[in-house]
Amino acid sequence: MDLSQTQQLFFNQVRAKMPAHFSFVDEVAELLNISNDSAYRRIRGEKPLGLDEMQVLCTKYQVSLDQILGVNSNTVIFTYDKVDHLYFGFIKYLEYLANTLELFTKLSNVKMYFYSKDIPPYLFTPFPELMAFKFFFWKRTLMGYPELARQKFEGAVTDQETAALARKIDLLYTKIPSIDIWNGESINATLNQLDFYRQTNIFPDKDVLLKVYSQLDELVTYLELQAEKGKKLSYDKPDLLTNVPYDAYINETLIGDNTVFVQSDNRQITFINHSGINLMSTEDPGFGEVTFKHIENVIRKSVHISVAGEKERSVFFNNLREKIYLQKKNVN
């Protein structure tokens, strides 16, 4: 492959990672601080890219040169923003979730796979007290917000910015075809968090705690109904089916790790969860291929509970509800 072809292949990689509504030439010209005509000549391979120019584009759009140059490398490039109260606060985290889901809705023939260890953040958003509890726990216990160190949990989110982002996240989720792999452990993290705060008197009002348990139960029922229909549902209008497919599987042997894998006609993105709610993402094709093969293998060894599998579906979700009920009895 000559230099011109290699350069065009590089620009194809950059173009694939650029939002669809961007003008490709305008974006390249702005990033490289050159004219549109100069950008065109580089894109067509008529003028060589400088190493400094290539570095700018690689950094901006996380493009790896290894695949383009045919280099066999074990290095994978991830994009990462550490969530903390100083540099990347919780509002920015919610904006990141909303923007990421919005990107998924614009991809062609997209599917989102979730291999669960815990319930993902976007499923809590229709339930005010439950959502507020999870946000509070993450900020107080995981992220160490100093102003929350001695604060009790009072109930639903009151600030409008958080509430608006939650509504946006919920709406976007219902537009994305999804495949979820659940297990009996998926609910345990939330139950353990609730029990820990109950025992340490973080709930000053037991009615608020009972409300959170009730909404967790509602979430389980919502997931069961969505699996039964095989379609995404709007929580506010459960009788109004969307045309967005939803597939669910149960695997009680291979416990998940909260990996999210997104596949479309021209992109695949892998999200790895670590250190609480932090996410790393990569579009490395080799890493994505390994991730997808693993998910396919797990699915083959799982029980399909969407539309079919009524008995297995009922038993599974009833067991989750029983866990909630047994812990809720401890509230006095």
Side-chain angles (χ1 to χ4, degrees):
M1 187 183 297
D2 63 27
L3 180 61
S4 175
Q5 290 175 310
T6 302
Q7 189 163 304
Q8 289 180 56
L9 180 59
F10 171 74
F11 274 114
N12 287 340
Q13 295 271 21
V14 174
R15 189 195 300 269
K17 296 194 175 187
M18 195 174 290
H21 63 280
F22 277 29
S23 165
F24 184 50
V25 174
D26 289 347
E27 176 74 358
V28 171
E30 182 177 349
L31 286 172
L32 301 184
N33 195 26
I34 57 178
S35 69
N36 278 27
D37 181 63
S38 294
Y40 270 121
R41 286 189 285 123
R42 285 165 172 79
I43 292 168
R44 290 194 294 260
E46 297 170 3
K47 179 177 176 57
L49 266 177
L51 286 176
D52 56 335
E53 295 175 326
M54 193 171 289
Q55 181 183 25
V56 169
L57 293 168
C58 283
T59 301
K60 174 68 175 179
Y61 288 106
Q62 298 298 304
V63 174
S64 172
L65 292 179
D66 289 352
Q67 182 193 21
I68 297 169
L69 299 177
V71 177
N72 184 12
S73 172
N74 291 325
T75 301
V76 177
I77 297 176
F78 281 86
T79 300
Y80 165 63
D81 285 302
K82 178 180 180 294
V83 184
D84 62 29
H85 67 282
L86 292 176
Y87 305 109
F88 194 79
F90 202 72
I91 289 294
K92 286 188 177 295
Y93 172 73
L94 293 179
E95 289 174 344
Y96 169 77
L97 283 182
N99 292 338
T100 301
L101 291 173
E102 189 166 21
L103 167 64
F104 297 167
T105 65
K106 295 176 179 177
L107 298 179
S108 173
N109 197 27
V110 68
K111 290 182 180 178
M112 179 171 69
Y113 295 82
F114 176 65
Y115 186 22
S116 85
K117 181 181 181 181
D118 190 7
I119 301 170
Y122 46 78
L123 285 178
F124 294 115
T125 51
F127 308 93
E129 279 77 15
L130 176 59
M131 176 188 72
F133 164 73
K134 294 295 289 191
F135 290 0
F136 183 85
F137 181 87
W138 290 332
K139 289 196 290 186
R140 188 183 195 272
T141 302
L142 288 183
M143 299 166 66
Y145 273 55
E147 64 270 26
L148 300 181
R150 298 189 179 280
Q151 187 169 320
K152 305 288 187 179
F153 176 70
E154 302 290 348
V157 171
T158 55
D159 75 277
Q160 295 303 307
E161 188 174 14
T162 298
L165 282 168
R167 287 192 296 272
K168 181 178 181 180
I169 289 168
D170 180 44
L171 179 63
L172 290 166
Y173 167 73
T174 62
K175 297 179 178 180
I176 303 167
S178 300
I179 299 94
D180 290 341
I181 306 169
W182 299 105
N183 61 74
E185 303 292 315
S186 301
I187 201 173
N188 287 357
T190 299
L191 287 174
N192 290 340
Q193 292 160 8
L194 282 165
D195 199 47
F196 171 67
Y197 272 15
R198 178 187 66 82
Q199 294 188 52
T200 52
N201 297 315
I202 305 299
F203 288 96
D205 185 343
K206 77 173 185 178
D207 289 337
V208 172
L209 174 55
L210 290 171
K211 183 69 173 176
V212 175
Y213 277 120
S214 295
Q215 291 185 359
L216 183 58
D217 191 272
E218 289 177 34
L219 171 56
V220 169
T221 300
Y222 165 75
L223 289 172
E224 182 178 20
L225 182 60
Q226 195 165 253
E228 178 187 334
K229 301 297 185 183
K231 301 287 185 182
K232 288 288 183 76
L233 302 176
S234 169
Y235 176 73
D236 293 333
K237 300 175 182 177
D239 295 330
L240 183 62
L241 277 175
T242 70
N243 290 319
V244 180
Y246 176 76
D247 250 350
Y249 295 83
I250 304 168
N251 192 306
E252 298 289 10
T253 305
L254 304 173
I255 305 302
D257 54 8
N258 288 347
T259 294
V260 175
F261 180 77
V262 176
Q263 186 179 56
S264 69
D265 284 340
N266 57 359
R267 292 180 73 172
Q268 58 178 21
I269 314 171
T270 306
F271 294 83
I272 303 296
N273 174 259
H274 75 101
S275 303
I277 60 173
N278 290 296
L279 290 172
M280 302 189 304
S281 65
T282 182
E283 296 192 44
D284 183 272
F287 191 89
E289 182 181 355
V290 171
T291 302
F292 186 53
K293 284 183 177 178
H294 176 64
I295 289 174
E296 284 187 312
N297 180 56
V298 173
I299 287 175
R300 282 194 296 269
K301 300 176 187 299
S302 302
V303 177
H304 189 212
I305 60 167
S306 286
V307 184
E310 180 180 358
K311 177 182 176 181
E312 292 85 357
R313 182 174 64 243
S314 296
V315 170
F316 175 73
F317 287 108
N318 283 337
N319 285 339
L320 296 187
R321 277 188 284 265
E322 179 69 10
K323 287 186 177 185
I324 298 170
Y325 170 74
L326 290 175
Q327 188 166 302
K328 188 176 178 181
K329 288 199 307 182
N330 294 324
V331 179
N332 51 47

